[in-house]
């Protein structure tokens, strides 16, 4: 079983829909990261969380440390949000980064 | 201000060959990390270079080695290529050898195909 699990693996939605991507992890962490990867490979850090909730524009990230679960929400989704969204954790045991497999999001116009 | 650049963009090799991938960090950055991303998978950390030394290493065999030059650019070398080495190789740069992935700037990657 992977130490970081994301769901769904793939998601197709219509423009304007509210999007939720989930991440569960099984290790002790110092932080959780949400990353965005566009075609061509480039990765951008969206959020780093250690507790609570963060908001940036139409993106909201939440984390429940007790449940070992995080969600990334996109409000009023747009075709330019189409990308792979990756959850990653900084593991307490060795400070290394463990990545999820990513969620491929496709927003239709 | 150039961001992180990687070369080549694509590469095809055969099993048993050796390959060298190159990375130039973002201007002002002195730390380079390398990641391997297989198709449909998340990235996996290979190693990080700071002050021309390997500071951290992931679970990769010794076939994977690297180097950092005085100008902070870096190379990733893979010997005795296996089919399973086919992946997107991502380079990320940051400053000061500290900080997590949130401080890293990623390059576009080199896509390696081993036949």
């Amino acid at each position: 079983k992977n130490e970081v699990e994301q769901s769904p693996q793939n998601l197709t939605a219509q423009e304007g829909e509210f999007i939720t991507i989930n991440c569960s992890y099984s290790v002790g962490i110092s932080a959780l990261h949400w990353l965005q990867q566009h075609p061509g490979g480039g990765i951008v850090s969206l959020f780093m969380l250690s507790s609570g909730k963060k908001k940036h524009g139409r993106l909201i990230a939440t984390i429940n440390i007790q449940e070992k679960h995080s969600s990334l929400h996109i409000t009023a989704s747009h075709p330019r949000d189409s990308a792979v969204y990756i959850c990653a954790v900084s593991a307490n045991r060795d400070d290394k980064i463990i990545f999820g497999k990513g969620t491929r999001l496709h927003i239709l116009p | 201000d150039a961001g992180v650049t990687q070369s080549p963009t694509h590469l095809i090799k055969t099993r048993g060959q050796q390959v060298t991938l190159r990375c130039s960090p973002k201007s002002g950055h002195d730390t380079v990390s390398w990641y391997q991303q297989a198709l449909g998978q998340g990235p996996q950390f290979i190693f990080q270079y700071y002050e021309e030394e390997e500071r951290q290493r992931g679970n990769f065999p010794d076939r994977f080695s690297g180097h950092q030059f005085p100008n902070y650019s870096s190379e990733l070398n893979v010997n005795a290529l296996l089919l399973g080495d086919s992946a997107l190789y991502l380079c990320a740069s940051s400053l000061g050898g500290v900080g997590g992935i949130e401080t890293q700037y990623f390059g576009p990657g080199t896509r390696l195909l081993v036949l």
Side-chain angles (χ1 to χ4, degrees), chain B residues 73-96:
Chain B
S73 67
S74 176
E75 288 182 349
L76 164 65
N77 301 293
V78 187
N79 293 323
L81 284 166
L82 303 174
L83 296 180
D85 295 331
S86 296
L88 179 69
Y89 288 85
L90 294 163
C91 166
S93 74
S94 54
L95 182 60

Side-chain angles (χ1 to χ4, degrees), chain A residues 8 10 12 18 23-24 56 67 86 88 91 97 106:
Chain A
N10 294 283
T12 299
F18 181 81
C23 175
S24 296
H56 184 246
E67 297 287 326
I86 301 172
I97 299 285
H106 188 202

Side-chain angles (χ1 to χ4, degrees), chain A residues 2 33 35 37 40-45 47-48 86 88 90 94-102 104, chain B residues 35 37 40-45 56-59 88 90 100-109 111:
Chain A
N2 293 330
H33 308 266
L35 312 169
Q37 185 173 29
I43 292 177
V44 174
S45 174
F47 294 104
M48 183 179 75
I86 301 172
S90 301
D94 53 13
D95 208 31
K96 296 226 174 97
I97 299 285
I98 306 171
F99 293 84
K101 292 185 178 181
R104 187 173 298 277
Chain B
Y35 298 85
Q37 186 177 24
Q41 304 291 316
Q44 289 195 63
F45 174 71
Q56 266 196 321
R57 190 180 181 94
N59 294 326
L88 179 69
L90 294 163
I101 200 165
E102 74 284 0
T103 65
Q104 295 181 6
Y105 287 74
F106 281 81
R111 191 164 295 281

